[in-house]
Amino acid sequence: METLTGAGVSPGAGYGAAFLLRVTIPEPPAGARHDGDPVAETARAEAALARVAAMLGERGAACGGEAEEVLRAQALMARDPALSAEVAGLVDAGVAAERAVYDAFLRFRDELAEGDGYVAERVADLDDVRDRVIAELTGVPMPGLPGEAGAPYVLVAHDLSPADTATLSREVVAAFVTERGGPTSHTAILARAMGVPAVVACAGATGLVNGTMVLVDGTSGVVTLAPGEEEVRSRLADAGAAAEPAAVTGPGRTADGHRVPLLANIGGPHEVAAALENGAEGVGLYRTEFLFLEREEPPSLEEQVEVYREVLAAFPGAPVVVRVLDAGADKPLPFLRPTAPEPNPALGERGIRLFRVYPDILTTQLEALARAAEGTTARLQVMAPMISTPDEAAWFTALARDAGLADAGVMIEVPAAALRAADLAERTGFFSVGTNDLSQYTFAADRQFPSLSPFQTPWHPALLDLVALTAKAGLPTGICGEAAADPAMACVLVGLGATTLSMTPTAVPWTRTALARHTTSDCHAAATAARRAVTPEDARRAALAHLPGLPAS
Ligand code: PEP
Ligand code: MG
């Protein structure tokens, strides 16, 4: 049977006819001129930009959640006054509106592509906005998705833009397969939020013939072309058995009753509903940076208090772990500039390192959190990102405690912190392992770079060793990177000593079911077997041998 392999980034299995989305908006001819009325031509360009911005905003508002954040950011690109000025300047010089738009976006694109990780990753989003504006101006229709296709289809593309995927649902799409993208790309994030299986970085995917029946395993990353009936039946049944989301309810626990609180990763109040609907027992990672992005000034103390209180109030009596602002590197902010240009931003002044330069922003945030907690019963915990030394852990913990936040901890995202977890443990209250960055820094492999996405799998034994070392230091140790969203990996993490698991809300029911079907000794055996392996593939196979009922693809 012919297969393609990529990175499985959203668990489960999906089967359907491949639908290839081809987005090619022709480049407007170089040297295209308008008929001599720059005012009318500029107005035409402005109107197209405004229509696209409005469409993106409306789609975002209709979707909510992560999709809304992403589409709102794209709408802002279309509304950027500097871009409009650039277009107007080119039109004034006689360039036709569509070519002026193309050239203006190109200039911004080059600036972005040279920028930091998060910004550079937005190039695809910028291209998508440009294509939509040019399509508006030239009357070329944007390629659409099949409306009522009869049966759910497998959407295959070079890459998917947030505007394409945001309006889809699992009733319409059986799975996503993209040739580009990584575990933290938009396709991956939105697929997980929708609960649709997805495989990204899948070489050869766009060579598929439209209508080919494909079976997509969003856990192993294997895409099987024209599979046999038996193969489809058993793979779908395996995936279903691995997590019949409604089958197990209640708090997270293993089959022998060992409690493992299952928490949600959220980016703000807009994701609280999803966390609650999926039965999260609290929040294990509140990424506060969404409140700070796309702004010229940090949000005021009062604004922060209001937003944090909204989240805390939604979880009475439950843990809510708030991560203080994780800026820098892939999330640059104009009011938190590094002290010098950074040739390698991911290795520069990010996370806690920026707070050493701008301590006031941290103390204001801590004060806002302390005030927000007043009058709520949520068990507020605060933690700092990008900690690499015991000194940093001590500094942050003391500041948090000075602000009245007794329960302070640190993220383990840097190998140095994991290696010296015992020293950090003497200086802080808890650990939360960010497996996304811990993978990035363990393998010196940019987490946003498509061809390096195989390094992002948490099944690498080197990563598992660092998690084990962290847990061994004896502090409560949560996992909040994407690893906890993989049901088999969740069992392994518990076997390594994780005390809580935090994940994208839709993954909570899957993980709950996987844990409920296995004992702590299954989890330990799976963890030990995985650490004895040499490759991530063998580690997964070895772990699954101790976790009956999980798909062994
Ligand atoms: C991580 O690095 O694993 C993490 C949870 O933080 P973020 O993905 O926000 O960097
Ligand atoms: Mg991180």
Side-chain angles (χ1 to χ4, degrees), residues 285 287 323 326 331 411 413 434-437 447 480-481:
L285 169 64
R287 292 179 164 107
R323 172 174 78 191
D326 183 13
K331 299 163 211 155
M411 289 188 77
E413 303 186 284
T435 52
N436 309 334
D437 275 316
R447 64 191 261 191
C480 68

Side-chain angles (χ1 to χ4, degrees), residues 151-341:
Y153 55 87
V154 173
L155 185 57
V156 182
H158 187 62
D159 206 349
L160 286 166
S161 78
D164 291 326
T165 47
T167 50
L168 297 172
S169 72
R170 42 191 308 189
E171 283 70 47
V172 180
V173 178
F176 293 116
V177 180
T178 62
E179 195 141 335
R180 287 181 59 86
T184 50
S185 64
H186 284 141
T187 305
I189 292 169
L190 295 179
R192 282 193 293 270
M194 287 163 64
V196 171
V199 173
V200 301
C202 183
T206 50
L208 277 171
V209 175
N210 240 340
T212 310
M213 296 307 286
V214 289
L215 176 62
V216 180
D217 187 327
T219 309
S220 66
V222 175
V223 177
T224 310
L225 317 191
E229 241 176 66
E230 181 50 29
E231 164 90 359
V232 174
R233 197 199 56 72
S234 84
R235 197 71 70 87
L236 293 180
D238 272 356
E244 292 147 17
V248 179
T249 52
R253 62 177 81 242
T254 57
D256 55 329
H258 172 67
R259 280 279 287 124
V260 184
L262 299 178
L263 311 171
N265 291 350
I266 65 168
H270 61 284
E271 284 178 298
V272 162
L276 294 171
E277 277 159 24
N278 285 286
E281 298 169 57
V283 172
L285 169 64
Y286 174 5
R287 292 179 164 107
T288 55
E289 49 275 8
F290 289 114
L291 186 58
F292 292 72
L293 290 172
E294 321 278 353
R295 289 181 185 246
E296 294 302 316
E297 302 278 331
S300 68
L301 177 84
E302 293 70 28
E303 184 180 354
Q304 291 189 54
V305 173
E306 205 171 303
V307 174
Y308 303 150
R309 185 167 290 149
E310 202 178 331
V311 171
L312 292 168
F315 293 95
V320 175
V321 186
V322 179
R323 172 174 78 191
V324 294
L325 176 60
D326 183 13
D330 56 350
K331 299 163 211 155
L333 295 176
F335 45 89
L336 280 177
R337 293 228 175 272
T339 50

Side-chain angles (χ1 to χ4, degrees), residues 432-453:
S432 182
V433 183
T435 52
N436 309 334
D437 275 316
L438 189 55
S439 297
Q440 161 162 271
Y441 295 120
T442 299
F443 295 100
D446 187 332
R447 64 191 261 191
Q448 322 255 14
F449 198 75
S451 74
L452 301 181
S453 70

